[in-house]
Amino acid sequence: MSWYIKQVDDGKGYGLFAKQDITCGDVILEEEPLVCSQFSWNKLYKYRACDYCLKSLETAEEMCRRLAQNPSINLPHPECCKAKPETNVHCLNCEEVYCSMACREKAYNEYHKTLCPSSDQCDKSALEVLDETWRGFHFPPETASIQMIMRILARIKQEDKKEEFIAAIERFCHISTNNVEQIAHKLLGEQFSNQISVLRDQLKSALFDESVQHWFTTDGFKNIFALLGTNQQGIGSSALSVWVLNCDELNLQESDRLDLDSCIDDLYQELNNVAGTFLNCEGAGLYVTQSKCNHSCDPNAEVSYLYNNHRLTLKATKDLNQDEEITISYLSECLQSRGKITRQEFLRENYLFNCQCNKCMTLSEIDDVTSDEDYDEKDDDDNNNNLLEN
């Protein structure tokens, strides 16, 4: 183990630190989530992922044809696609799909026994209404899912050691009471005065459990929502990405390499024209150890999903010295390249802190985006929303 957790003195709570010298490129840790789920809109628009581990279930070619709305796409080097649809299995009682029998069994034992439409453990029509209500409040790009809370509650109902699981959830970082409503509404997009109460009442009708009855109070529901907002890690899987990476490893003649690279460039352009940047099966998860990583605008580590499922890999992007804090960026690649004012505004709105990393402390506030760049980003968001209209 190359890391350890300790209290940070500057008010950030806990942090992750290097137990020894770490070299750039080293894997610091790998971790599976305590709980995870696919985003609601992502699933509705037929991004096929394993209900348990979020592994992309389509072949790369199937994914491209769906995303580009072009059934004539044929990818070269099919051997580079590692997806195996023939191993996919359904729940024995419903249409939920898993990448393997192992994932199906884990899902059933952890939460699906409760959430399966065939069971009598909860009101399934109420769950469907709740999911539709959530989508009505929260549009892509998604940053959370009511499915996460539903899955947590289902786990509580099925857990033999309820107190331990509840304690594990409640040990994730909490924000101050004064900021709870702000971050809860931020997750929902546009602010409506009744959003939280509507979702809480519908969730209570479907999955109330006495062991966490405090979560169903007005303040308790906002707290659990805010806990997800400040701790969950986005998850992305893609058979297409795996195919591209494996194509990069092919030993080809230079002319063949140029042809393949050109083919991939043209493919991504076609996908971008139809689906924008919505290419992956997307969801979110709660990771006990990774959640201790604090933010830096100039991080020394990054999160990736090397196994095309929910198993997270934290890899060093710089050399780290023993006892140095391991940091990641909470910003997208685009936002990381923006100026201090823009970065800090995003972090305040979404994570409720003023960044004091070395980059923010050494750069002048006049180093910021231009209005043209802001408009470009807005245009990108508009293009992403075109997927909903197709």
Side-chain angles (χ1 to χ4, degrees):
M1 186 181 296
S2 60
W3 51 267
Y4 65 92
I5 297 169
K6 75 172 184 178
Q7 184 84 32
V8 181
D9 296 330
D10 57 5
K12 292 187 291 188
Y14 289 93
L16 200 67
F17 291 80
K19 193 174 185 178
Q20 60 198 39
D21 290 348
I22 297 173
T23 302
C24 178
D26 284 354
V27 172
I28 299 170
L29 67 85
E30 291 188 346
E31 183 179 17
E32 293 188 3
L34 186 64
V35 63
C36 72
S37 71
Q38 188 177 2
F39 288 143
S40 295
W41 279 108
N42 193 263
K43 187 172 185 176
L44 182 70
Y45 278 89
K46 303 187 185 306
Y47 288 74
R48 294 176 53 205
C50 174
D51 183 62
Y52 183 77
C53 75
L54 271 61
K55 181 178 183 179
S56 177
L57 297 180
E58 299 169 291
T59 65
E61 191 170 85
E62 288 173 334
M63 178 173 277
C64 289
R65 289 175 174 179
R66 173 178 57 79
L67 290 169
Q69 299 177 16
N70 181 358
S72 67
I73 289 177
N74 293 297
L75 297 186
H77 300 288
E79 72 278 7
C80 290
C81 178
K82 301 305 179 183
K84 297 180 179 179
E86 65 273 13
T87 66
N88 298 346
V89 295
H90 286 78
C91 168
L92 296 175
N93 300 306
C94 74
E95 294 303 309
E96 204 62 75
V97 187
Y98 303 91
C99 68
S100 64
M101 293 182 67
C103 276
R104 182 175 71 183
E105 182 177 0
K106 290 176 183 178
Y108 187 81
N109 291 335
E110 290 183 14
Y111 60 84
H112 193 65
K113 181 180 179 180
T114 297
L115 298 179
C116 181
S118 67
S119 79
D120 58 0
Q121 302 294 312
C122 62
D123 185 345
K124 299 308 182 297
S125 62
L127 292 181
E128 292 176 1
V129 169
L130 177 59
D131 201 38
E132 291 175 2
T133 300
W134 168 258
R135 291 197 303 270
F137 286 157
H138 192 86
F139 301 96
E142 294 170 88
T143 54
S145 178
I146 197 67
Q147 292 286 340
M148 281 279 283
I149 303 179
M150 291 162 59
R151 196 156 290 189
I152 289 170
L153 290 169
R155 286 262 325 243
I156 290 171
K157 289 182 177 296
Q158 293 186 208
E159 280 286 337
D160 292 331
K161 299 178 180 179
K162 292 187 181 216
E163 294 77 10
E164 289 185 16
F165 180 72
I166 294 169
I169 294 294
E170 294 188 337
R171 274 195 297 269
F172 281 92
C173 175
H174 285 265
I175 60 176
S176 66
T177 302
N178 292 338
N179 289 322
V180 164
E181 186 164 352
Q182 180 182 344
I183 191 63
H185 278 294
K186 187 68 178 178
L187 286 173
L188 294 170
E190 295 183 14
Q191 293 189 19
F192 297 94
S193 60
N194 68 335
Q195 286 177 327
I196 293 293
S197 60
V198 169
L199 290 169
R200 178 181 63 87
D201 290 346
Q202 290 182 358
L203 189 69
K204 185 174 183 179
S205 173
L207 285 167
F208 179 78
D209 193 283
E210 289 186 357
S211 58
V212 285
Q213 56 183 306
H214 57 292
W215 289 4
F216 293 92
T217 66
T218 299
D219 289 340
F221 186 64
K222 290 177 183 176
N223 268 293
I224 197 66
F225 229 110
L227 181 149
L228 293 180
T230 53
N231 291 276
Q232 66 188 1
Q233 171 66 44
I235 300 171
S237 68
S238 168
L240 173 59
S241 294
V242 173
W243 175 80
V244 171
L245 288 173
N246 288 332
C247 282
D248 289 341
E249 298 299 320
L250 292 173
N251 185 16
L252 301 175
Q253 297 290 330
E254 184 176 357
S255 59
D256 293 334
R257 169 59 62 190
L258 291 173
D259 287 343
L260 180 57
D261 289 346
S262 178
C263 172
I264 292 173
D265 288 343
D266 291 343
L267 176 65
Y268 272 111
Q269 184 60 56
E270 185 175 359
L271 296 177
N272 184 68
N273 291 340
V274 179
T277 58
F278 290 117
L279 302 184
N280 296 342
C281 298
E282 295 183 346
L286 289 175
Y287 294 84
V288 174
T289 303
Q290 179 272 338
S291 69
K292 301 297 189 295
C293 285
N294 287 310
H295 164 81
S296 171
C297 294
D298 184 24
N300 53 32
E302 65 179 5
V303 167
S304 60
Y305 294 92
L306 302 180
Y307 302 96
N308 196 35
N309 60 17
H310 67 189
R311 186 170 181 82
L312 174 151
T313 299
L314 184 65
K315 184 179 290 188
T317 56
K318 300 178 181 179
D319 291 343
L320 286 87
N321 297 321
Q322 183 178 349
D323 297 325
E324 183 176 351
E325 184 172 8
I326 301 166
T327 59
I328 59 175
S329 176
Y330 298 172
L331 306 172
S332 66
E333 288 186 16
C334 178
L335 279 170
Q336 284 185 60
S337 67
R338 298 299 176 90
K340 175 181 176 181
I341 295 174
T342 301
R343 297 196 312 273
Q344 294 219 343
E345 181 180 5
F346 177 88
L347 292 167
R348 280 195 299 271
E349 289 182 354
N350 292 274
Y351 295 97
L352 306 178
F353 69 86
N354 290 311
C355 185
Q356 297 182 338
C357 70
N358 289 337
K359 184 175 180 179
C360 285
M361 292 297 96
T362 57
L363 289 179
S364 167
E365 289 200 3
I366 63 173
D367 172 35
D368 206 57
V369 298
T370 65
S371 58
D372 288 341
E373 286 173 311
D374 284 331
Y375 280 119
D376 287 343
E377 183 174 307
K378 183 181 184 300
D379 289 341
D380 288 342
D381 291 340
D382 291 341
N383 289 335
N384 290 341
N385 289 329
N386 288 340
L387 178 64
L388 303 179
E389 301 170 4
N390 292 326

